[in-house]
Amino acid sequence: MILEKLAIALSVMFLCTLVHAVFMMAGNQAVSWRLTKIGSARRPLRRVVLIWLIIMWMFTGTCIEAGIWAAVYLYNPSITSIADAQSAFYFSMVTYTTLGYGDIVLTGNWRVLSAIEAANGIIIFGWTTALIFYFIQKIYKTD
């Protein structure tokens, strides 16, 4: 049933979008607080550290999102090709980043999930890239 798989995939995509939005809003709040309460980072190294922190923050959100996909793979009794949590997370990260080594693959009709996860990852990474540029502009605009 392709509709069942599509419903699962779209639900997971919605959840990932929600997680990413929360991380975006919290990151924006943190940067805004830093710039208004403490002031702009005038030294280049402080700016780099601030940008690195926001990148790590957004990457953490991305890892949580890949973890959600991994949980779907791991706890779905119909998917038998993923043996443990570490393999599920590895497969999910490789798929979410669209790297796709191919050393672990889904079997049968469940393969469509990995294709949708890859599409989800492309969208999320584009969103993250736009956010990072936004934060860089915000950090450097305070001069």
Side-chain angles (χ1 to χ4, degrees):
M1 292 234 154
I2 190 71
L3 292 178
E4 174 193 9
K5 285 130 187 105
L6 191 57
I8 290 170
L10 293 177
S11 298
V12 175
M13 284 182 75
F14 174 77
L15 191 54
C16 289
T17 300
L18 187 63
V19 168
H20 215 71
V22 167
F23 270 78
M24 174 190 70
M25 291 183 294
N28 190 45
Q29 283 292 114
V31 170
S32 295
W33 178 87
R34 166 63 170 88
L35 295 175
T36 57
K37 298 293 183 191
I38 299 175
S40 65
R42 299 233 181 258
R43 293 186 180 156
L45 184 59
R46 287 186 181 170
R47 288 179 174 172
V48 168
V49 169
L50 191 55
I51 293 165
W52 176 79
L53 287 171
I54 202 70
I55 290 170
M56 291 300 99
W57 176 250
M58 294 310 299
F59 179 71
T60 300
T62 300
C63 288
I64 291 169
E65 295 152 25
I68 293 168
W69 279 101
V72 169
Y73 300 137
L74 189 62
Y75 297 114
N76 185 330
S78 301
I79 300 174
T80 58
S81 58
I82 298 182
D84 55 36
Q86 183 176 350
S87 297
F89 185 72
Y90 166 78
F91 172 77
S92 184
M93 281 299 286
V94 167
T95 304
Y96 207 62
T97 61
T98 70
L99 183 59
Y101 284 132
D103 53 340
I104 299 175
V105 294
L106 297 183
T107 56
N109 296 331
W110 289 99
R111 293 178 297 179
V112 71
L113 285 181
S114 59
I116 294 172
E117 181 185 3
N120 186 200
I122 289 170
I123 293 165
I124 293 293
F125 279 103
W127 183 5
T128 302
T129 301
L131 286 172
I132 291 167
F133 275 98
Y134 168 76
F135 289 127
I136 289 171
Q137 288 176 337
K138 197 170 185 175
I139 290 164
Y140 280 88
K141 187 178 182 181
T142 58
D143 282 343

